[in-house]
């Protein structure tokens, strides 16, 4: 195991070194929060794939393959579909807005008002819980490596992510994510996948050993697949963590085609995880929990050195999602909630004071990082925490965000009603049916849509000047863009 330990230690040290290097580039608010909006296609594709494929997609994806066979790929598959839909239909318009948060987009589209801060609170809760659930996954990985106490593992893994994220912001996260993308590709797709299949005796032996439903593409069930689409595919369209990566693209063309490449990669990653889990079912048919499949096959079947690299790949998956959710959480907390509560808003004079804004955002990453670590230590049920986050996100924010992008008759009153009614419906229905039930997100989304349509049609249309400014911003012709740095090739 000494070689495996060395691989992990070198990897973790490299993450901290990149955080220090990224600090030298993050000298303005734009550089710190969105990497100067100048990532080229290669870096954009790699970092986008890295953030959406986290511990749930890697460890959880293998676990679903262990439990359901090839149809276990559907959870990660729907994440890839969501990223493809975002990239093809919306990313170009989102990139041209030149904002920092989803709530700022709502302010631009609807002309300000209370919808911005309420949506900010919902988005903050989502990104916080996403960061928490990613941070909890360190316990699984470090337990395999070092037989480490759960709390110590969470503090160790979380502290490294908080350190490099605080130092360099999005530049540090971009650099580390690119390395993590390469490590995941090598560790999971090029090493663990073929080794697992060979150890299980090949596909013919896997078919002979397992029930036929393990090879049914729809074996997991139509209702489950529909729920995955509703939560993960739609969640990809509106999450602050995903939008903040779209904002890093140097052009709308990069956002569209780079995201399409990343989405396609996710589809391949989904199938790989399901196949690895299916192979693990052949090798270890009586594991106590499906989520133990990844750790078990890595620990027992991989040679020294390779085992360390694959565990580094799992660590990379967790860190990429954790750091992306952390900077999204801090950005929303600072720009959408704290600054509004203080009554500061964003004026040209404040925007010009970039160094103060960098310090402020760096402080919020540190504060939110400590909150994430403490919450991760306190929470036991990861699935329930993540379900609450996605239910609130989709039930409360999907309609006003997509409605604002595609329906010009939507109003600020309709958006506010949609967020409040959808969010409250989800909370009440989770209390009634249970957190893991499907009904909360189904009916919450319908309630949100109904409120948006009815209230928007019953209230005066959005002011023409607001819609004109919105269309100018979508077209990339807004005068506010003059202060943005000129993109350079990567």
């Amino acid at each position: 195991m000494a070689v495996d330990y060395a691989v992990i230690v070198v990897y973790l040290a490299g993450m901290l070194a990149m955080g220090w290097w990224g600090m030298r580039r993050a000298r303005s608010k734009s550089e710190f929060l969105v990497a100067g909006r100048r990532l080229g296609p290669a870096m954009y594709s790699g970092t986008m794939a890295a953030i959406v494929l986290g511990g749930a997609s890697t460890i959880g994806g293998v676990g679903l393959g262990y439990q359901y066979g090839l149809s276990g790929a559907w959870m990660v598959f729907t994440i890839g579909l969501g990223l493809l839909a975002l990239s093809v239909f919306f990313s170009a318009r989102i990139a041209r807005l030149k904002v920092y948060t989803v709530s700022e987009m709502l302010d631009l589209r609807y002309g300000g008002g209370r919808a911005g801060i309420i949506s900010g609170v919902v988005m903050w809760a989502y990104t916080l819980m996403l960061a928490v659930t990613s941070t909890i996954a360190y316990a699984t990985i470090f337990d395999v490596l070092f037989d480490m106490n759960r709390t110590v593992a969470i503090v160790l893994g979380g502290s490294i992510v908080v350190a490099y994220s605080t130092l360099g912001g999005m530049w540090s996260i971009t650099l580390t994510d690119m390395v993590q993308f390469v490590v995941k590709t090598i560790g999971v797709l090029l090493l663990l996948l073929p080794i697992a299949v060979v150890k299980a005796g090949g596909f013919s032996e896997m078919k002979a050993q397992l029930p036929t439903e393990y090879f049914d593409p729809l074996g997991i069930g139509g209702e489950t697949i529909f729920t995955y689409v509703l939560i993960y595919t739609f969640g990809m369209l509106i999450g602050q963590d995903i939008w903040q990566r779209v904002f890093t693209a140097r052009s709308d063309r990069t956002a569209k085609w780079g995201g399409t490449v990343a989405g396609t990669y996710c589809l391949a990653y989904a199938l790989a995880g399901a196949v690895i889990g299916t192979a693990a079912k052949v090798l270890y048919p009586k594991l106590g929990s499906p989520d133990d499949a990844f750790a078990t096959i890595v620990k027992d079947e991989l040679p020294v050195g390779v085992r360390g690299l694959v565990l580094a790949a799992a660590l990379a998956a967790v860190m990429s999602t954790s750091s992306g959710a952390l900077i999204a959480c801090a950005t929303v907390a600072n720009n959408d909630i704290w600054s509004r509560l203080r009554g500061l808003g964003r004026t040209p004079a404040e925007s010009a004071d970039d160094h103060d804004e960098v310090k402020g955002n760096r402080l919020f990453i540190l504060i939110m990082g400590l909150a994430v670590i403490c919450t991760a230590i306190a929470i036991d049920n990861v699935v329930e925490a993540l379900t609450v986050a996605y239910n609130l996100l989709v039930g409360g924010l999907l309609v006003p965000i997509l409605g604002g992008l595609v329906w010009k008759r939507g109003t600020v009153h309709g958006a506010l009603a949609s967020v409040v009614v959808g969010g409250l419906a989800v909370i009440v229905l989770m209390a009634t049916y249970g957190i893991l039930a499907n009904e909360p997100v189904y009916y919450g989304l319908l309630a949100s849509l109904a409120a948006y349509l009815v209230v928007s049609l019953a209230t005066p249309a959005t002011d023409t000047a607001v819609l004109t400014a919105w269309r100018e911003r979508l077209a990339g012709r807004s005068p506010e863009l003059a202060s943005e740095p000129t993109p350079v090739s990567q």
Side-chain angles (χ1 to χ4, degrees):
M1 287 290 288
V3 176
D4 298 325
Y5 294 159
V7 171
I8 297 296
V9 170
V10 168
Y11 169 76
L12 294 177
M15 295 300 99
L16 290 174
M18 288 183 186
W20 183 262
W21 188 86
M23 181 176 66
R24 301 172 60 186
R25 302 197 66 168
R27 299 186 182 278
S28 69
K29 180 178 180 179
S30 176
E31 296 282 356
F32 191 83
L33 293 183
V34 291
R37 306 187 195 274
R38 50 181 178 172
L39 297 191
M43 290 192 73
Y44 179 84
S45 297
T47 56
M48 181 62 86
I51 187 176
V52 300
L53 296 174
S57 299
T58 304
I59 300 172
V62 171
L64 287 172
Y66 182 90
Q67 187 173 2
Y68 298 105
L70 298 186
S71 66
W74 272 106
M75 184 187 77
V76 184
F77 201 83
T78 54
I79 291 174
L81 292 178
L83 186 52
L84 285 171
L86 174 70
S87 302
V88 173
F89 298 113
F90 300 108
S91 64
R93 282 181 281 180
I94 292 171
R96 286 195 293 265
L97 289 174
K98 297 294 189 288
V99 294
Y100 293 101
T101 68
V102 174
S103 292
E104 289 179 1
M105 167 264 169
L106 292 174
D107 282 345
L108 284 171
R109 167 59 182 83
Y110 296 111
R114 287 169 292 178
I117 191 168
I118 293 176
S119 65
V121 171
V122 174
M123 190 64 76
W124 173 79
Y126 157 73
T127 52
L128 177 71
M129 295 314 300
L130 184 61
V132 166
T133 53
S134 300
T135 303
I136 291 173
Y138 294 126
T140 299
I141 299 170
F142 285 123
D143 177 61
V144 174
L145 276 172
F146 309 115
D147 193 24
M148 188 178 290
N149 174 269
R150 178 182 184 273
T151 299
V152 175
I154 289 173
V155 171
L156 175 61
S159 297
I160 293 172
V161 170
V162 171
Y164 72 70
S165 300
T166 301
L167 286 172
M170 187 59 82
W171 266 122
S172 295
I173 293 171
T174 295
L175 295 170
T176 54
D177 277 1
M178 197 63 201
V179 173
Q180 289 158 356
F181 169 74
V182 173
V183 171
K184 277 193 287 193
T185 301
I186 295 173
V188 176
L189 296 184
L190 302 184
L191 291 176
L192 182 57
L193 174 61
I195 290 174
V197 172
V198 170
K199 291 284 187 178
F203 286 104
S204 58
E205 183 64 20
M206 289 162 64
K207 287 184 177 180
Q209 293 286 337
L210 298 173
T212 56
E213 55 264 27
Y214 263 71
F215 302 93
D216 179 359
L218 303 178
I220 198 170
E223 184 178 358
T224 299
I225 294 171
F226 179 72
T227 302
Y228 285 158
V229 170
L230 203 59
I231 293 177
Y232 296 115
T233 301
F234 287 159
M236 286 295 107
L237 298 179
I238 58 175
Q240 169 69 25
D241 52 324
I242 309 302
W243 276 44
Q244 199 156 343
R245 294 312 175 95
V246 176
F247 299 151
T248 66
R250 73 182 181 198
S251 67
D252 51 4
R253 182 178 177 84
T254 297
K256 181 176 182 178
W257 295 110
T260 300
V261 171
T264 304
Y265 177 89
C266 291
L267 303 183
Y269 199 89
L271 184 58
V275 171
I276 293 168
T278 304
K281 183 67 175 179
V282 174
L283 295 168
Y284 312 101
K286 296 182 179 180
L287 288 179
S289 168
D291 286 340
D292 293 336
F294 181 89
T296 303
I297 197 169
V298 169
K299 182 186 290 186
D300 293 349
E301 302 297 336
L302 299 185
V304 174
V306 173
R307 179 169 52 221
L309 185 57
V310 173
L311 286 172
L315 201 56
V318 174
M319 284 187 161
S320 58
T321 299
S322 181
S323 60
L326 175 59
I327 193 172
C329 179
T331 302
V332 171
N334 188 19
N335 292 273
D336 291 339
I337 301 175
W338 178 243
S339 65
R340 294 171 192 252
L341 291 176
R342 292 176 61 197
L344 296 178
R346 284 183 58 207
T347 67
E350 290 165 340
S351 296
D353 190 6
D354 284 336
H355 291 288
D356 287 342
E357 289 191 322
V358 169
K359 291 177 182 178
N361 283 292
R362 185 174 280 137
L363 177 62
F364 264 86
I365 289 181
L366 179 59
I367 294 171
M368 290 299 106
L370 294 174
V372 165
I373 292 172
C374 293
T375 307
I377 293 171
I379 287 181
D380 291 325
N381 197 314
V382 179
V383 176
E384 288 191 356
L386 194 59
T387 300
V388 170
Y390 270 103
N391 281 355
L392 286 173
L393 177 71
V394 174
L397 294 181
L398 178 69
V399 171
I401 293 172
L402 295 190
L405 289 170
V406 302
W407 191 43
K408 67 179 182 180
R409 187 60 182 82
T411 68
V412 64
H413 302 291
L416 180 60
S418 179
V419 174
V420 173
V421 171
L424 289 177
V426 165
I427 293 171
V428 171
L429 290 168
M430 282 192 296
T432 303
Y433 289 96
I435 290 176
L436 298 179
N438 294 328
E439 287 83 359
V441 71
Y442 292 170
Y443 300 139
L445 189 56
L446 288 175
S448 178
L449 177 60
Y452 183 70
L453 293 174
V454 171
V455 176
S456 290
L457 292 173
T459 53
T462 303
D463 187 84
T464 303
V466 172
L467 289 178
T468 299
W470 166 253
R471 286 192 290 267
E472 288 292 303
R473 196 69 169 249
L474 279 179
R477 294 192 296 267
S478 173
E480 288 89 343
L481 304 186
S483 62
E484 291 290 336
T486 302
V488 295
S489 299
Q490 293 284 321

